Amino acid sequence: MAREGSTSSPDATGPERPRDSLLVPVHEPVLLAEVVQLLAPEEGARILDLTVGAGGHASSLRERAGASGLLVGVDRDAEVLEIARRRLAATPGARVELIAGSFGALAELRARLPSSAYDCVLLDLGVSSWQLDLPERGFSFRRDGPLDMRMDRGSELTAERLVNECSVEELRRIVAEFGEERYAARVAAAIVEARRSRRLDSTARLAAIVRAALPPQPAQRIDPATRTFQALRIAVNRELEALRDFLGRFELVLARGGRLAVISYHSLEDRQVKNAFRERAREGDYEPLTRRCLTPAEAEIERNPRSRSARLRGLRRLREEERR
Ligand SMILES: C[S@@+](CC[C@H](N)C(=O)[O-])C[C@H]1O[C@@H](n2cnc3c(N)ncnc32)[C@H](O)[C@@H]1O
């Protein structure tokens, strides 16, 4: 069972894993049973997973929908779609279509979807373990890689550009706001000082600069560079803008009677989801499926530490005859 309403620190890291690249998908879906229960796909359901990643949630949902159902998996990372394709090919269930795109551009994306209305829509925000574990994607401070952090490798903004080109004040704001780092001013000053001697281009060097900038800390669960890396990733991928855009227009893809579930990993995301869902319910066209957010049980956190900051919320769009 999931616990209700608890919070935990934002941290997207976990134990070291062997680098098994494309062959073995290592992302373990978070709150899987809860998501399946909340979205409750019936035989023949049309499912839209807008963050299909390694296809973990998608494969379970797809099984429930059966052969007459449809599963559309979207991800802005075209490389990750290959992982999803392999995983989904190994499981039975609904017909599958995989599409590269962003839920932050829903109107444009909708025009490319095989159906315009879905019974179950899922957003599982953030990065997948697969992305985190590949040093060349630049998300990880555990293994050295280029300072990239783009989910969509076609986009222009990289973490390297941010850390080398932003003003000290812009960096401080990013690290404070998106990383909730108390010592953001120190981190920003240290980055600006370090780039004077040499352009910053590696995750290991950036992590060392951040750690050195922070005051000595008691033995911790998480690496002190985690918050800064999270902040840069959110800024590079404009994650909060994409979420805000989606939350303002999800009726474009959600059928009447359909259910929407969102898993967030950061209080800024969760606040947006909570407020948007509350507003929709107040307007009388939706009903909440979760009174408070659901969070992983201790056993899941132990098994998969990356799940520890997850919060799940759900909403159902009322049928025409149910509207108040
Ligand atoms: C936490 S993973 C999803 C894992 C997936 N639920 C599973 O079980 O394997 C999040 C995925 O969302 C993708 N993503 C993040 N922001 C996105 C956006 N705006 N549009 C589409 N995909 C996005 C990432 O590239 C990543 O693959």
Side-chain angles (χ1 to χ4, degrees):
M1 266 304 287
R3 290 180 290 123
E4 277 212 328
S6 71
T7 56
S8 49
S9 63
D11 175 28
T13 65
E16 289 275 325
R17 288 173 192 271
R19 174 152 178 232
D20 31 24
S21 188
L22 283 170
L23 290 176
V24 186
V26 289
H27 186 91
E28 184 175 338
V30 170
L31 288 165
L32 178 61
E34 291 80 2
V35 165
V36 172
Q37 197 181 5
L38 204 105
L39 289 177
E42 291 175 358
E43 190 74 30
R46 295 156 298 173
I47 300 163
L48 178 60
D49 184 343
L50 286 165
T51 53
V52 71
H57 290 105
S59 54
S60 292
L61 293 168
R62 169 177 181 240
E63 252 183 280
R64 298 293 184 103
S68 59
L70 169 68
L71 175 105
V72 180
V74 174
D75 205 290
R76 76 199 292 191
D77 185 338
E79 290 175 27
V80 108
L81 288 177
E82 180 58 18
I83 307 284
R85 191 184 63 73
R86 291 183 194 195
R87 180 149 186 184
L88 292 165
T91 57
R95 175 166 76 88
V96 175
E97 294 223 12
L98 297 174
I99 295 172
S102 170
F103 61 75
L106 203 58
E108 180 268 331
L109 177 63
R110 183 180 190 251
R112 296 191 285 127
L113 299 178
S115 164
S116 53
Y118 293 84
D119 308 302
C120 308
V121 177
L122 174 64
L123 241 65
D124 176 19
L125 300 167
V127 274
S128 73
S129 306
W130 182 80
Q131 290 164 321
L132 275 171
D133 287 349
L134 285 181
E136 62 265 36
R137 299 300 303 266
F139 292 105
S140 168
F141 46 76
R142 292 176 187 275
R143 278 174 236 104
D144 198 12
L147 268 175
D148 191 320
M149 299 197 193
R150 287 170 303 169
M151 291 179 191
D152 172 1
R153 288 177 120 175
S155 68
E156 280 185 9
L157 186 61
T158 62
E160 180 174 338
R161 279 190 55 193
L162 274 187
V163 296
N164 287 289
E165 294 169 24
C166 283
S167 68
V168 71
E169 177 47 29
E170 282 170 318
L171 282 171
R172 189 205 61 75
R173 188 190 58 77
I174 288 170
V175 174
E177 201 173 309
F178 301 153
E180 296 176 305
E181 171 59 70
R182 273 174 75 186
Y183 301 104
R186 290 193 197 192
V187 170
I191 289 174
V192 170
E193 178 57 31
R195 77 189 186 195
R196 280 203 184 103
S197 56
R198 185 159 54 90
R199 188 171 173 86
L200 303 180
D201 59 5
S202 99
T203 59
R205 180 161 172 237
L206 177 65
I209 292 164
V210 173
R211 290 184 196 116
L214 298 173
Q217 309 198 5
Q220 280 196 327
R221 263 188 337 178
I222 67 167
D223 187 301
T226 305
R227 290 184 289 275
T228 297
F229 271 65
Q230 172 187 276
L232 292 171
R233 192 203 81 212
I234 290 175
V236 164
N237 295 290
R238 301 197 165 90
E239 292 178 31
L240 297 175
E241 288 95 319
L243 180 60
R244 191 171 314 120
D245 190 83
F246 172 81
L247 291 171
R249 59 177 82 201
F250 52 75
E251 63 284 350
L252 280 179
V253 289
L254 190 61
R256 290 223 160 266
R259 292 160 168 246
L260 165 66
V262 181
I263 306 176
S264 61
Y265 296 86
H266 186 283
S267 57
L268 294 172
E269 290 170 344
D270 184 54
R271 200 170 313 142
Q272 277 197 34
V273 177
K274 183 171 84 178
N275 291 340
F277 280 17
R278 192 179 288 160
E279 188 56 30
R280 296 304 186 104
R282 203 171 20 231
E283 287 165 5
D285 208 16
Y286 290 84
E287 67 175 7
L289 294 171
T290 43
R291 205 170 48 80
R292 300 174 67 193
C293 63
L294 300 177
T295 58
E298 293 300 337
E300 177 169 359
I301 297 173
E302 225 160 85
R303 205 175 58 243
N304 179 16
R306 284 171 177 168
S307 73
R308 69 173 160 258
S309 52
R311 291 170 221 180
L312 168 65
R313 295 183 189 273
L315 195 67
R316 178 174 164 272
R317 189 174 185 194
L318 299 177
R319 296 181 194 285
E320 208 55 74
E321 63 275 18
E322 295 172 312
R323 295 174 69 190
R324 288 158 274 151

